[in-house]
Amino acid sequence: MSTTPAGTPTNPPANPPHRRLRSVVGDATAKKLATLGLETIDDLLRHYPRRYVSLGEMTDLAALQVGQYATVMARVVEAVNRRFGPGGRKTRTEVTITDGNARITLTFFSQPWRQAQLAPGTVGLFAGEVGAFNGRLQLTHPLYEPLEGPDAMEGRIARGIIPIYRASAKIPSLAIERSVETVLAIADVEDPVPADVRESRGLPAAPEAFEMIHRPRSTEQWQLARDRFRFEEAFVLQTVFAQRRHAALGQSAAPRPRRVGGLRDAFEEQLPFTLTDGQRAVVAEIEADLAREHPMHRLLQGEVGSGKTIVALLAMLQVVDDGAQAVLLAPTEVLAAQHHRGITAMLGALAQGGMLGGAAEGTRVRLLTGSMGARARKEALLDAASGAAGIVIGTHAVLQDTVQLAELGLLVIDEQHRFGVEQRAVLVDRTEVKPHVLVMTATPIPRTIAMTVFGDLETSTLSELPGGRRPIQTTVVPAAERPDWLARAWDRVREEVADGRQAYVVVSRIGQDAEGAAAEAADPDAPPTRSLLDLHDELAAGPLEGLRLGMLHGRQPADEKDATMTAFARGEIDVLVATTVIEVGVDVPNATVMVVVDAERFGVSQLHQLRGRVGRGGHPGLCLLVTSAEEESPSRERLDAVASTSDGFALSRLDAEQRREGDVLGAAQSGIRSSLRLLSVVKDEKVIADAREVATAFVESDPALDSAPDLRLAVDRLEQSRQADYLERT
């Protein structure tokens, strides 16, 4: 692209990368390419080959094995159509091919025209899964690409390496390859990676890299091109985050320095325990952030039970000491109510500011949810608007326009992955002076994912458990193989209750409805799952008869859920049968045992979160993972991994490796997801870290990207795709 010294394009390219393919390859081909989501020149150029076939390294026909996916280069020896079925109406075409030594049969059903297409002497590439019929190896409906004749691609044999693209029934790999050849000849290619960045890493420029990845002459060429485009994806994404971090430095926020002798000091003096070294270090980081004149944007991640809430509360009290308010946003009413009870109890008289018996330096802590009664809601709204409530705890209800705050100084978001960036912005953008923002997650995040999903945030990590926290023993209970173990599991629950403790029983679904049908459809070979409603009744009448059982799930009215959790926290319920509404934040120190039924239906990180609900007091915790998954199956291996370690960060890496890339990024990150074709946020840590460092330095020297107009265009497009996705969801 030609530019002026200031970076402004002088002559628009004749064939810009975002020109529609229709005008280049024709309507018919463009419609077929659109079935793969390819609509522009750039879309097609970035539809990289999924693998390559080297003509000098064809599979030996004699070495083929049943079940192997093979691509062979061979010559047709014979092609015969055979009739079968009632009246001979059906056709089976059998084509015999050879590599000069061995032979194999290609079989096509209801495609009689293959006989003429694959006449004896035809040379081509044939790809498919090797099967067997009547003792002979065969490929059924293999992919076919000619290497000679009018349909062959000029020059591809000379290059020696043939790209194989993700294709469809409407447009095969060869047709995609032809379209790429057409586009490569005329496209004006942008290059978002500045020349000095490329050269310092030995990476080719974009035009050369596109040629190397689509028409390589050696394995080294396409590997180098992949390295270049993998770095480009990371670099563009990290530039977006670097600009956001830089922009945050330009925003104004009221500094909230720590006040000596204030509410925070009074609270620390009454703490019955000592903070861990890790907690003190993170508290110091946040304390320094709050004292600055630009808004804090920090992610606090920590192991289950690592004490994130106390760290967040100290930050909130620091802000309240300065005359402002703090909002704690939770994803569910159960968790919001739990936070309200816990924080109010920890503060004691300090949470009763202006009330009879309250401390002179105290404030008020108000709960605000969508289903609370009119009177309680009115009181909460008045205290929030007047500033009498220094701390407001709530769900999405806090985001409504009817909720007014006197002066928001700090927004704390618990379980950040349950909220989108846009929801966070609803409160942040209400005022010209931005509040400080602290987001928390109890789901440990591998470094690569943290840099990709939360790249606009600084990160603090708590991995050390507070003193006195006992380890949790986790055991897999194979119910189908060892029914006696399942009986023993229920005996263990009774024993814990007899000793004055409490238990959770967790199930994957509520009742016999579409929820259960969806679970069965997702894995039809798996045993039927147990519903909460059925299991509650079975336990009450069977192995847990005589114990006080409670039931908790997301479809209950808010007051019923709150009453159940309050009763459980007070020890009025022995065993709480629940869904994953208790996954995060629920803190009942007297609960020591958890039985997870149909444990194979839960993810690795989710199981780690669930078991963190027990062993939170002075007694050791026990987590029993009940499963019908067969030994050595992938599901059983996941459960064994959870049972083998209590290291949440190790489990989070395992979880990420076992999931698809899009699942790792999550629905709220679909804009990012659509921009990543080669980069793996799970595997490419070095690439992402390098790109982050370079992007940060580049943005510091050129915040507007004036010296890199192609990079600026790529960044703008990525930002627009994320915003467009948000608008579609709303």
Side-chain angles (χ1 to χ4, degrees):
M1 176 179 283
S2 174
T3 62
T4 65
T8 304
T10 53
N11 297 308
N15 295 292
H18 292 276
R19 177 180 170 186
R20 293 284 171 176
L21 283 170
R22 183 179 297 106
S23 62
V24 180
V25 300
D27 284 344
T29 301
K31 287 179 181 178
K32 294 175 182 177
L33 289 169
T35 63
L36 294 172
L38 309 176
E39 298 185 348
T40 68
I41 287 177
D42 190 66
D43 289 341
L44 182 58
L45 289 179
R46 296 185 185 280
H47 186 69
Y48 305 120
R50 59 185 177 88
R51 62 189 180 90
Y52 298 86
V53 172
S54 174
L55 297 184
E57 300 175 1
M58 287 295 97
T59 305
D60 181 2
L61 291 183
L64 294 178
Q65 296 180 358
V66 173
Q68 173 187 1
Y69 189 93
T71 299
V72 298
M73 181 174 67
R75 184 180 300 275
V76 176
V77 175
E78 181 184 40
V80 179
N81 280 332
R82 303 186 187 281
R83 299 282 180 178
F84 69 100
R89 289 194 297 270
K90 297 183 179 180
T91 305
R92 180 177 71 249
T93 304
E94 294 180 352
V95 180
T96 303
I97 60 173
T98 182
D99 60 0
N101 295 309
R103 295 189 177 194
I104 190 173
T105 301
L106 313 178
T107 304
F108 301 90
F109 292 96
S110 302
Q111 296 184 13
W113 47 270
R114 290 288 189 182
Q115 182 184 32
Q117 182 191 53
L118 297 173
T122 301
V123 177
L125 290 176
F126 304 91
E129 184 173 336
V130 180
F133 180 71
N134 288 337
R136 298 173 56 193
L137 296 182
Q138 69 173 12
L139 299 179
T140 303
H141 285 282
L143 298 175
Y144 160 63
E145 297 182 5
L147 294 177
E148 297 176 350
D151 292 331
M153 298 281 289
E154 183 179 353
R156 67 207 302 258
I157 295 180
R159 289 196 296 272
I161 296 180
I162 295 176
I164 306 297
Y165 295 88
R166 181 176 63 85
S168 70
K170 292 187 176 180
I171 184 159
S173 179
L174 177 61
I176 297 173
E177 188 181 351
R178 290 179 184 278
S179 297
V180 170
E181 293 262 356
T182 300
V183 167
L184 280 173
I186 58 95
D188 291 294
V189 177
E190 295 173 357
D191 196 334
V193 185
D196 58 337
V197 175
R198 291 196 314 267
E199 292 164 4
S200 65
R201 285 155 181 77
L203 300 175
E208 182 185 2
F210 278 123
E211 183 74 21
M212 291 165 67
I213 204 166
H214 289 294
R215 299 196 292 195
R217 294 182 177 274
S218 68
T219 299
E220 291 74 20
Q221 280 196 350
W222 67 256
Q223 288 177 339
L224 179 60
R226 277 194 174 183
D227 289 344
R228 179 247 140 76
F229 288 119
R230 186 174 287 118
F231 176 83
E232 177 187 313
E233 291 175 7
F235 180 65
V236 172
L237 178 58
Q238 292 302 325
T239 300
V240 170
F241 290 138
Q243 283 192 312
R244 290 184 182 177
R245 294 193 299 271
H246 187 275
L249 293 175
Q251 292 178 333
S252 62
R256 310 290 180 184
R258 181 176 181 179
R259 182 166 68 87
V260 177
L263 180 57
R264 175 178 157 177
D265 283 357
F267 172 65
E268 288 194 74
E269 289 174 4
Q270 70 181 36
L271 275 178
F273 54 83
T274 302
L275 297 180
T276 65
D277 291 342
Q279 285 175 316
R280 284 195 293 269
V282 173
V283 167
E285 287 177 337
I286 296 173
E287 180 181 317
D289 283 350
L290 292 174
R292 296 191 177 103
E293 294 183 347
H294 56 81
M296 172 180 73
H297 291 89
R298 185 169 290 277
L299 168 69
L300 173 58
Q301 62 169 330
E303 270 286 14
V304 177
S306 59
K308 294 179 299 299
T309 303
I310 194 71
V311 171
L313 179 54
L314 289 170
M316 290 190 280
L317 295 178
Q318 180 172 329
V319 168
V320 173
D321 272 339
D322 197 65
Q325 292 166 290
V327 168
L328 172 56
L329 193 60
T332 66
E333 293 193 348
V334 169
L335 185 52
Q338 170 74 37
H339 276 310
H340 181 257
R341 282 192 298 269
I343 288 176
T344 301
M346 280 192 288
L347 288 174
L350 296 174
Q352 301 173 29
M355 302 167 68
L356 186 63
E361 67 273 35
T363 187
R364 294 182 191 174
V365 181
R366 284 297 191 186
L367 177 66
L368 188 59
T369 64
S371 59
M372 62 194 309
R375 180 177 177 181
R377 178 178 175 81
K378 182 178 180 180
E379 290 178 354
L381 289 173
L382 287 174
D383 278 355
S386 68
I391 297 176
V392 177
I393 300 171
T395 58
H396 296 78
V398 178
L399 304 178
Q400 297 174 0
D401 292 337
T402 54
V403 179
Q404 300 297 319
L405 297 165
E407 184 179 356
L408 178 60
L410 172 64
L411 173 61
V412 179
I413 302 179
D414 196 13
E415 290 308 307
Q416 158 68 15
H417 65 282
R418 307 278 186 100
F419 296 92
V421 173
E422 293 79 15
Q423 290 172 307
R424 187 201 318 169
V426 169
L427 282 177
V428 171
D429 292 343
R430 282 187 185 177
T431 57
E432 185 175 342
V433 178
K434 304 300 180 186
H436 300 281
V437 177
L438 176 66
V439 298
M440 302 192 298
T441 178
T443 304
I445 304 169
R447 182 168 178 257
T448 50
I449 299 174
M451 287 189 293
T452 306
V453 179
F454 302 110
D456 56 337
L457 305 173
E458 300 297 332
T459 302
S460 295
T461 301
L462 288 173
S463 55
E464 180 184 3
L465 294 182
R469 188 63 59 86
R470 303 293 293 273
I472 302 170
Q473 177 189 336
T474 304
T475 302
V476 177
V477 179
E481 303 159 34
R482 299 295 303 269
D484 55 319
W485 284 28
L486 179 58
R488 176 63 184 142
W490 301 125
D491 287 343
R492 286 291 292 115
V493 171
R494 297 193 74 95
E495 290 168 5
E496 289 295 307
V497 172
D499 286 340
R501 258 82 77 185
Q502 295 163 274
Y504 296 100
V505 175
V506 180
V507 297
S508 61
R509 61 188 178 88
I510 300 171
Q512 300 289 356
D513 51 16
E515 189 180 5
E520 308 303 333
D523 190 357
D525 296 328
T529 56
R530 308 298 302 279
S531 74
L532 181 149
L533 300 178
D534 289 345
L535 185 61
H536 175 274
D537 293 344
E538 290 175 20
L539 293 176
L544 302 185
E545 183 181 6
L547 302 186
R548 298 172 298 173
L549 270 60
M551 188 163 50
L552 186 70
H553 58 79
R555 294 181 190 167
Q556 292 171 316
D559 55 350
E560 184 177 341
K561 287 186 289 189
D562 191 49
T564 300
M565 276 308 305
T566 300
F568 188 60
R570 290 175 177 170
E572 298 166 4
I573 292 174
D574 297 320
V575 181
L576 184 62
V577 186
T579 59
T580 54
V581 292
I582 56 103
E583 178 184 347
V584 293
V586 173
D587 186 7
V588 179
N590 194 47
T592 55
V593 61
M594 171 177 288
V595 180
V596 182
V597 179
D598 299 319
E600 71 276 5
R601 294 289 183 178
F602 300 87
V604 170
S605 292
Q606 193 173 35
L607 289 171
H608 183 61
Q609 289 294 311
L610 286 167
R611 71 175 168 187
R613 299 309 105 208
V614 298
R616 302 175 72 87
H619 303 284
L622 174 64
C623 180
L624 302 174
L625 305 177
V626 178
T627 180
S628 298
E630 295 181 1
E631 193 172 6
E632 297 184 359
S633 66
S635 295
R636 185 71 165 270
E637 289 176 358
R638 287 192 297 109
L639 299 182
D640 289 339
V642 174
S644 69
T645 181
S646 59
D647 184 343
F649 287 92
L651 290 174
S652 71
R653 287 189 292 272
L654 173 66
D655 193 26
E657 289 167 1
Q658 292 182 339
R659 293 158 63 194
R660 296 176 302 172
E661 199 80 8
D663 294 335
V664 170
L665 289 169
Q669 303 295 335
S670 57
I672 291 177
R673 203 165 62 235
S674 65
S675 74
L676 304 185
R677 294 167 176 84
L678 296 176
L679 185 73
S680 168
V681 300
V682 177
K683 301 174 183 176
D684 294 325
E685 178 172 350
K686 290 183 179 179
V687 176
I688 294 170
D690 180 35
R692 180 182 174 92
E693 182 178 345
V694 176
T696 299
F698 196 90
V699 169
E700 286 178 356
S701 63
D702 183 6
L705 309 179
D706 290 329
S707 64
D710 286 354
L711 174 59
R712 186 172 62 223
L713 287 171
V715 165
D716 288 346
R717 278 193 290 268
L718 180 54
E719 288 279 34
Q720 289 166 8
S721 72
R722 289 160 58 84
Q723 180 64 18
D725 177 72
Y726 165 63
L727 292 174
E728 288 172 7
R729 292 199 308 275
T730 57

